[in-house]
Amino acid sequence: MRLGLGLGIGAGGSAQSEPADTRPKVWISSDIFGAGEKDDIQSFLSMIPYLNQINLMGFSCCLPGGSTQVAAVQNLITQVSADIAAYKALDDSYPSAAELAALIAQGKLSAAGAPGDGLNTAGSDALISAAHTSSPSDPLWVLIWGTYGDLAQALYDDPTILPNIRVYGIAATTGFNYTTDAGAANYLINNMVPGQPLDDLWFIANDSSFRGMYCGSGGENTPQRDWPWEHAVGRGEIGDAFVDACLDLYGDGTTSGLKMGDTPSLLYVLDNVLVQGTGDDPAAAGGGWGGRFEKDAAKGNNYWKDVQSGQTLGSFVGANTVYLHQADILADMAAKFALIANPTIYTGETFSNLTVTDTTIAGRVSVPFGETWTNYRTDRPMNAVNAGEMDYVTSAGSSTSLHYLANTMPGVDYTVEGAMLFTSASALPGLLMNVSGSLSGGDGQFYQILMDSAAPYNWTIGKDFASSGVAITSNTAAQASTITVGINTPFRMKMRREGAVITMWVRLVSGGGWVQCLQWTDASPLIGAGNAGVRGINTARIYAFVARSNA
């Protein structure tokens, strides 16, 4: 039984009460929401499905010179609270959303530097408290996803906790986590040499092995682009929030994808400790999902570093010790996501039954908001290289609309999702299904989400059945709810067909869940062989779409 399906549920089918919680104790320090990248958000969200397997004792938001991130993390927990409740319904050892939110503490915000008197934080105090509930035989696993200020301060304030903790640090001696607060990190590193106060501190310094979580077989520093779209989209609130955290990772429009560089620290507990049983020996043959490490003779008695030879990928020393487990890790995570959310909407992972009918724009749809999407007709990424001139929705044959269209097999249900925005009150982007007839002038038959003609631009639903022109009938009576979308505000639309039932959703890229705008059973459904596409009137901007069969 692998981690993805291990729910910790007793033989009677319900969670069993135990005299004591025997799960590994874990405490995490992170620069989440403060460091200008989103991989910590990915790591946090992907941790939630595994919270029945660890005893999370605390989570500190630590970034010197930053601003408080506690509220942002707690808001994220609220955003995915329904999924947290669904996991808890499977296994009562999961925390509730309220219990998880109560564990979030503010760590170091003051200027970078070594620890000192009176510099304690709520995070460092919480670490000390958690360590005192632990022991050398039942240690507290301290996972560092960001800077080292709270750990350094806790050991400065109360060095008696040292025998009770095991530290797994990401970028401990190099990179952002180190350089952002080198004073705190150096306090630890310089005191972990023989004869110094911290020479017995149990410490894994993962300075580059973590890259194996997402790099390619040759050490390509390229976050996983396809996994979020194949295994997270449509998998509940956590799945959608995870996809959002994969978009524009660094805030500069250059990179999107799954990274989770801090997650190997948690995987060490989940696999090396719980499954392999080798947690006390980071150098154990075979290692585990959290990697394998070697002793550093120049440091203290319990200091491990990246394997220096034989496990390098590209320039990343030791990365292969994690990379060789990458496929298993991601498969297990996908299984965890699927436990609580119906995965059938997006299970059609091969699309030999889809072909692009407008060859002039095949594979040349613009990248949405800095993302990289996969074109499932050609199975190649739609990125800046092959996006070509497709930007605004216009075409040589028409100044009003352009269609990116794919045929589907007769009778096959499917879902279409698009990323887009409208640039003016007259710009109407939409998703099309079951188009027939000409692609210019009279567009035949399609369903489309429409914008009201005046602010605040709430969305209504229309069905185009005209043989010429664009005649729309609004179906506001069947409309479940509306969502306000502003001019030049990035948003997504999703449409699902199940026989004669058409369901439509809208959500903002900036946050929030899908709002179901319509579920419509058409007495005379426009279901021929079936087509799917996007449509824009005037200068509505259509970036990309994916069409997937509902297996």
Side-chain angles (χ1 to χ4, degrees):
M1 178 176 67
R2 294 305 299 169
L3 298 178
L5 302 178
L7 298 176
I9 295 177
S14 59
Q16 303 297 301
S17 60
E18 296 180 0
D21 193 336
T22 60
R23 298 173 298 172
K25 298 182 177 72
V26 173
W27 185 92
I28 298 172
S29 179
S30 169
D31 54 14
I32 189 169
F33 285 110
E37 61 178 271
K38 300 179 179 180
D39 69 320
D40 284 42
I41 302 174
Q42 295 178 18
S43 291
F44 185 88
L45 290 167
S46 63
M47 172 186 71
I48 291 174
Y50 292 95
L51 286 178
N52 64 326
Q53 296 173 240
I54 64 173
N55 182 5
L56 185 64
M57 304 290 287
F59 187 96
S60 176
C61 304
C62 179
L63 184 67
S67 57
T68 179
Q69 294 97 39
V70 172
V73 179
Q74 291 175 335
N75 288 340
L76 179 62
I77 293 169
T78 299
Q79 180 182 339
V80 300
S81 58
D83 283 2
I84 294 174
Y87 280 113
K88 191 168 180 63
L90 291 175
D91 183 351
D92 194 53
S93 59
Y94 282 100
S96 67
E99 290 168 337
L100 181 57
L103 296 176
I104 313 303
Q106 185 58 57
K108 183 176 181 179
L109 289 177
S110 58
D117 294 337
L119 298 180
N120 60 301
T121 69
S124 65
D125 290 344
L127 171 53
I128 292 171
S129 297
H132 280 300
T133 70
S134 307
S135 68
S137 60
D138 180 24
L140 177 69
W141 292 91
V142 178
L143 314 182
I144 306 298
W145 294 1
T147 55
Y148 288 77
D150 282 346
L151 172 60
Q153 188 65 44
L155 286 165
Y156 177 90
D157 287 339
D158 189 351
T160 68
I161 67 172
L162 186 149
N164 297 347
I165 65 175
R166 304 283 186 272
V167 180
Y168 188 123
I170 302 294
T173 69
T174 186
F176 179 88
N177 293 354
Y178 169 77
T179 58
T180 302
D181 195 354
N186 285 333
Y187 173 82
L188 298 170
I189 294 166
N190 294 338
N191 280 300
M192 282 191 284
V193 296
Q196 294 302 310
L198 304 181
D199 62 352
D200 278 334
L201 180 62
W202 199 103
F203 195 98
I204 291 176
N206 182 339
D207 285 332
S208 61
S209 296
F210 68 89
R211 305 281 187 181
M213 182 68 215
Y214 60 90
C215 75
S217 60
E220 300 86 354
N221 189 10
T222 52
Q224 295 277 339
R225 295 179 300 182
D226 290 343
W227 193 96
W229 307 109
E230 295 173 354
H231 301 290
V233 171
R235 265 54 167 205
E237 297 168 337
I238 291 176
D240 282 343
F242 186 89
V243 170
D244 286 344
C246 291
L247 306 180
D248 196 9
L249 274 175
Y250 310 119
D252 59 5
T254 63
T255 308
S256 293
L258 176 151
K259 185 179 180 185
M260 299 197 305
D262 300 302
T263 294
S265 63
L266 178 63
L267 295 174
Y268 190 89
V269 179
L270 292 172
D271 189 64
N272 299 55
V273 174
L274 283 175
V275 176
Q276 308 302 329
T278 58
D280 286 335
D281 182 11
W289 289 5
R292 178 167 60 87
F293 304 88
E294 63 183 37
K295 273 284 188 74
D296 187 337
K299 295 294 195 299
N301 300 321
N302 299 303
Y303 185 98
W304 286 268
K305 64 182 179 181
D306 300 312
V307 175
Q308 297 297 297
S309 64
Q311 298 296 325
T312 298
L313 295 180
S315 62
F316 301 139
V317 175
N320 191 56
T321 67
V322 175
Y323 174 80
L324 60 88
H325 303 289
Q326 186 185 98
D328 289 338
I329 293 167
L330 295 178
D332 197 73
M333 183 172 151
K336 276 289 197 179
F337 274 26
L339 282 173
I340 60 156
N342 182 354
T344 59
I345 295 179
Y346 290 101
T347 52
E349 303 299 349
T350 58
F351 301 98
S352 58
N353 61 330
L354 291 175
T355 57
V356 174
T357 58
D358 188 338
T359 58
T360 64
I361 59 173
R364 295 190 290 110
V365 177
S366 292
V367 183
F369 322 118
E371 307 167 25
T372 299
W373 283 33
T374 295
N375 178 344
Y376 287 100
R377 266 66 56 193
T378 60
D379 196 28
R380 65 189 178 94
M382 295 185 292
N383 53 36
V385 175
N386 57 39
E389 71 277 9
M390 273 301 301
D391 192 357
Y392 289 93
V393 182
T394 57
S395 72
S398 170
S399 63
T400 59
S401 67
L402 182 67
H403 305 269
Y404 184 46
L405 191 64
N407 290 329
T408 65
M409 296 292 286
V412 174
D413 294 341
Y414 52 88
T415 297
V416 186
E417 181 177 334
M420 54 194 74
L421 58 81
F422 57 88
T423 56
S424 70
S426 61
L428 302 178
L431 298 176
L432 293 86
M433 278 186 167
N434 311 306
V435 177
S436 63
S438 171
L439 292 183
S440 62
D443 292 289
Q445 302 169 333
F446 63 88
Y447 299 92
Q448 180 171 316
I449 299 178
L450 297 176
M451 183 192 72
D452 284 349
S453 59
Y457 308 113
N458 291 313
W459 291 88
T460 59
I461 309 305
K463 170 186 171 184
D464 181 356
F465 55 90
S467 58
S468 63
V470 184
I472 301 294
T473 58
S474 179
N475 192 39
T476 55
Q479 188 172 322
S481 58
T482 61
I483 182 170
T484 299
V485 180
I487 296 291
N488 292 320
T489 300
F491 66 96
R492 296 190 188 285
M493 291 194 287
K494 180 168 65 175
M495 187 188 313
R496 184 180 185 185
R497 165 194 149 181
E498 294 177 290
V501 178
I502 304 294
T503 309
M504 299 183 183
W505 299 264
V506 176
R507 76 175 175 89
L508 301 179
V509 168
S510 60
W514 288 103
V515 174
Q516 180 178 313
C517 295
L518 172 72
Q519 189 170 69
W520 187 358
T521 301
D522 199 325
S524 301
L526 306 177
I527 308 288
N531 295 282
V534 293
R535 180 176 200 263
I537 302 296
N538 297 326
T539 57
R541 198 167 184 173
I542 308 294
Y543 289 91
F545 85 100
V546 290
R548 300 190 172 200
S549 60
N550 302 333

